[in-house]
Amino acid sequence: MRRRPAWLWAAAIFAYAFLYVPLLIVVVYSFNDSRLNAEWVGFTFDWYRTLASDDQMLKAAGNSLMIGIVVSFVSTVLGTMAGLAMHRYRLRLLPILIVAPIAIPEILMGVSLLIFFVLLNFTLGLVSVALAHIAFCIGFVAIVVRARLAGMDETLTEAARDCGATPASAFRYVTLPLIMPGVIAGALMAFTLSIDDFVITFFTAGAGTITLPLQIYSMIKISVTPEVNAVSTLLMLLTLLLIVVAAKLSPTLLPSERETTP
Amino acid sequence: MGSSAPHPEPLAARGEREPSTREAGEGRRKPRASLGKWLVGAPPLLYLLVFFAAPTLIMVLASFRSPGEFGGLAPIVDETGKLDLNVDSYVRFVTEPVFARVFVKSAWYATLTTLFCLLLAYPLATLIAKSSRKYRDLLLLLVILPFWSNFLIRIYAWMIILGPNAALAKLVNGTLALFGAAPVPLLFSGFAVLVCLVYVSLPFMVLPLYANLEKHDQALLDAAQDLGANAWQRFWRVTFPLSLPGVYAGAALVFIPALGIFAIPDILGGPEDTLIGNLIKQQFLETRDWPFGSVLSIVLTVAALMLAGIAAWVGRRGAGRRA
């Protein structure tokens, strides 16, 4: 084995601690029997009980869930189509439009959609948020699906076509089952991105519409309360679960030297 | 239809592993491809044209308009029939130094964030790249996992850690008191903004650095050692120059988002920590001066894209020189 000096380990452990201790503190204090997130007093489930009876929070969670499911479904369909189109054909415009929303500052997309919706007299609310989320999720799904297609043996689809299958049935019975793990991983990713998004939602939700991140934002702007710790803990659990499932389905989501090459 | 099916082309032409070489497989454009191309490609294309390209273009146009009396935009044609198109907002941006100062401040925060991320990420990426295959994926996963937790939660965590009643503030201010210094607030300060920026950006530095370091040839280091280079020289003369493409990629991935951030200074910053993102938010939600807000967003985006372009160019040039 190659030499790995102790200071390297120390620096790496410090970096990991830096990444995890803050999140750990959030989780631990969600069970703390004190209004102040300052020191450990005793164990309690009170903050989760408070959460369960907080109508505003439940409404926000419901909205986020609903938007997440719709966004995940629509952007998966559109993103899979985009991934397929980019894999099979030489296109000029589509790849740019797929990457651009990911590459440009998030805030630009938020404010430009705000102008767009207001100028069209489109009422800001759940629908405008969902439309905005779909716009930035398509790219992520397309990239995951395309990566899956790149690792697939295209001769299988061609064989199906040679055997007389129509393009539609060759897709339905050969290509789709083969890329399914990628499609599901893309859907889970879109759901996670949608449920987590703050910046674009902030600009496109308008007054009076809340999602989970917006609700958390307005709570922490006022004060630090362990109820936020509780909802954060639950949200982290949900995200973790989705990521584990997505990663199991599509190993390309996890870095290995081939995918992370800049 | 079935009789017109194409012959399978040789596998080699497709470049199974490298997605980039697949583009060369143009032989797959078939006569009927155009219909399929439109059926599959048009819906996502249309969606992105309507909900991404159009809003962006509208914003570019809005930057050349005048602000409306009650916010938003002034009517495109005023009472006298004059078309409302001007560069007033751009002129305002250039002539009022306060805005340039905010940009400089944002760039300064983004630069510091990039440097601290580099300092933290380099040892971490080195360690991961040198680990055995068995642990490598796990160690990388551990770097990425926090990135998937909600952005606001990660900001909130620092509100707790840096809060006035938390152990850290007590420790710092207790130490300061020993030396007779006045207590300093950790939260709502530039320090809080910077720490959190580094925190949320770190994975973006580790990943490209790791991807680069992992490819280094140990033989080069062995050769350097045989030629009498000590550990520092081996790092500074061999490893570091070779890792520059990874450094540039990581710097771009950290610097550009950090430039446009608005939630972190909004929540953790003090009154002086207004960055571009906060300024843009103000223009759209408080002052309701859309043209000026659009100018700020466009300047930010152009700056970000230019930096990304430079990073890509420098990275490629560096890679080409060694090849």
Side-chain angles (χ1 to χ4, degrees), chain A residues 199-218:
Chain A
V199 176
I200 292 169
T201 313
F202 184 77
F203 286 103
T204 50
T209 305
I210 44 162
T211 66
L212 217 41
L214 292 183
Q215 176 66 14
I216 294 176
Y217 175 75
S218 62

Side-chain angles (χ1 to χ4, degrees), chain B residues 113-150:
Chain B
T113 304
T114 309
L115 286 177
F116 283 118
C117 278
L118 189 60
L119 278 178
L120 270 172
Y122 215 106
L124 189 57
T126 306
L127 185 87
I128 299 174
K130 287 187 173 178
S131 309
S132 62
R133 279 216 140 273
K134 212 169 73 185
Y135 298 111
R136 215 181 272 174
D137 286 350
L138 178 71
L139 288 172
L140 270 182
L141 180 67
L142 285 176
V143 173
I144 300 166
L145 218 48
F147 161 72
W148 282 104
S149 64
N150 188 292

Side-chain angles (χ1 to χ4, degrees), chain B residues 56-65 73 84-85 294 298:
Chain B
T56 310
L57 280 178
I58 289 174
M59 189 164 94
V60 173
L61 285 177
S63 73
F64 292 104
R65 301 270 302 275
L73 301 173
D84 174 37
L85 276 181
S294 302
I298 290 164

Side-chain angles (χ1 to χ4, degrees), chain B residues 129-239:
Chain B
K130 287 187 173 178
S131 309
S132 62
R133 279 216 140 273
K134 212 169 73 185
Y135 298 111
R136 215 181 272 174
D137 286 350
L138 178 71
L139 288 172
L140 270 182
L141 180 67
L142 285 176
V143 173
I144 300 166
L145 218 48
F147 161 72
W148 282 104
S149 64
N150 188 292
F151 191 60
L152 288 172
I153 297 177
R154 284 178 284 158
I155 302 176
Y156 175 66
W158 287 100
M159 281 183 85
I160 298 176
I161 296 173
L162 302 173
N165 297 317
L168 191 65
K170 284 182 179 153
L171 181 77
V172 169
N173 287 325
T175 316
L176 283 176
L178 284 181
F179 296 100
V184 289
L186 297 178
L187 195 58
F188 309 126
S189 69
F191 171 74
V193 173
L194 195 59
V195 171
C196 195
L197 272 172
V198 173
Y199 181 65
V200 299
S201 313
L202 188 59
F204 296 103
M205 186 61 95
V206 177
L207 293 184
L209 259 183
Y210 158 77
N212 173 285
L213 290 169
E214 193 265 341
K215 283 183 286 194
H216 285 196
D217 189 351
Q218 177 68 21
L220 287 172
L221 291 176
D222 293 341
Q225 189 161 22
D226 290 345
L227 293 170
N230 63 31
W232 171 248
Q233 285 169 322
R234 285 201 299 277
F235 171 75
W236 194 238
R237 307 284 291 270
V238 181
T239 305

